Structure formats: C-alpha cells, structure tokens
Amino acid sequence: MDTAQHTDTTSWWGRLTERCYTSSTTTLARNIKQEAGASYDALINDLERPLEPRFEQAVARQLAAGQPAHFRPAKTLMPVMMQRFGLKESELHGNGLMNHADYVALRDTCNACAAVSDCWKAMRANAELDECRHLCPNATAFDALAAR
C-alpha cells in the first residue's frame, strides 16, 4: 500500500471513529444518568472536573431538556455565580446583608431558571462577570448586594 492510500484509509477510519463517538455521546450520557446515578450526580455537581467537550455538551443538553429532579442549581451553580459578583454566601448571612427570605427568593429563582444548562457550562468555563450578568436572572440582585 502506498503512502497516499494509507493516509486516505487512516483519515477515513479516523473520521468514522469520530462520527461514531459523536453520535454515541448522547446515549453514553443518558446511560450514565440512568445506570450510575451517583456517578452522574458527582459529574454534574463537580464544576472543576474536566470532561471531553462533546460529552460535556451531551450532559448540558440533558440539563436543558429537564434537569434531573435531584439536581439543584442553587446548590451547585449559585455559589459559584455569586463569587463572580464578588459575593460569598457565608459573608452575606454573617454580615446581615441578606435575610433568609431574600436568600430563599434568590435560591428559588436559580432553581427555576430556564438557562440552567448554559449556566452550568458557563460556570465550568469560568465565565467572566459580563457573561454572567447576561445569563443570570439574579444578576441585578447580586449587583445590588455587591454594592452594599
């Protein structure tokens, strides 16, 4: 086999392998969610864990399609989002800058957010504050708290 034929075969095989993997990532993510719930929970709640980009996208699509009932964005995403605004939950409560009812309202807004998959990807990618302001329904409240 000459070099040109070998390169064409290798290139063809590589493209086929990539297409097979790409088409299977949604199934892989769904199977992990269904068959290995604890591993899936750890995966979506660990914003630092590196994920292969296509697999990460498949997980984000699952979150967009209807987050798992046990996933609470306010528990995983809101503390990281607040940090982008220069806030820490413990300091807000400790310094009396936020009462319980305010925090509950922020948490409820976060848990009901329609952009949870975009937020999940943004927090994983260490999004800058400007992107967070456009993404987060609590942005105005976070800015007000940060200004105090």
Side-chain angles (χ1 to χ4, degrees):
M1 180 184 294
D2 68 35
T3 306
Q5 285 178 327
H6 179 70
T7 301
D8 288 345
T9 303
T10 302
S11 177
W12 177 85
W13 185 252
R15 288 191 311 269
L16 176 62
T17 302
E18 285 298 313
R19 285 183 182 160
C20 289
Y21 175 74
T22 298
S23 67
S24 70
T25 55
T26 298
T27 302
L28 176 62
R30 184 179 55 242
N31 287 346
I32 291 172
K33 179 180 167 187
Q34 292 172 348
E35 303 297 327
S39 294
Y40 185 81
D41 291 346
L43 184 134
I44 61 176
N45 285 298
D46 183 352
L47 301 176
E48 302 290 324
R49 181 178 300 193
L51 297 175
E52 193 277 329
R54 289 168 289 195
F55 183 76
E56 180 181 53
Q57 187 61 35
V59 171
R61 281 192 303 270
Q62 286 182 350
L63 291 172
Q67 61 201 17
H70 54 277
F71 180 66
R72 294 288 174 245
K75 180 180 176 191
T76 301
L77 302 174
M78 195 168 90
V80 180
M81 181 66 79
M82 290 175 75
Q83 288 174 0
R84 298 295 189 278
F85 286 82
L87 302 169
K88 290 184 180 175
E89 286 178 286
S90 59
E91 291 175 2
L92 292 175
H93 292 296
N95 295 334
L97 295 175
M98 184 187 324
N99 65 43
H100 182 70
D102 292 335
Y103 178 76
V104 169
L106 291 172
R107 188 185 65 208
D108 290 347
T109 298
C110 183
N111 284 331
C113 182
V116 69
S117 69
D118 292 332
C119 182
W120 183 78
K121 289 187 300 186
M123 296 304 95
R124 289 182 51 75
N126 295 315
E128 296 293 326
L129 182 57
D130 286 340
E131 182 179 350
C132 293
R133 279 195 179 103
H134 289 99
L135 181 65
C136 185
N138 283 325
T140 303
F142 292 157
D143 275 332
L145 287 167
R148 288 184 181 181

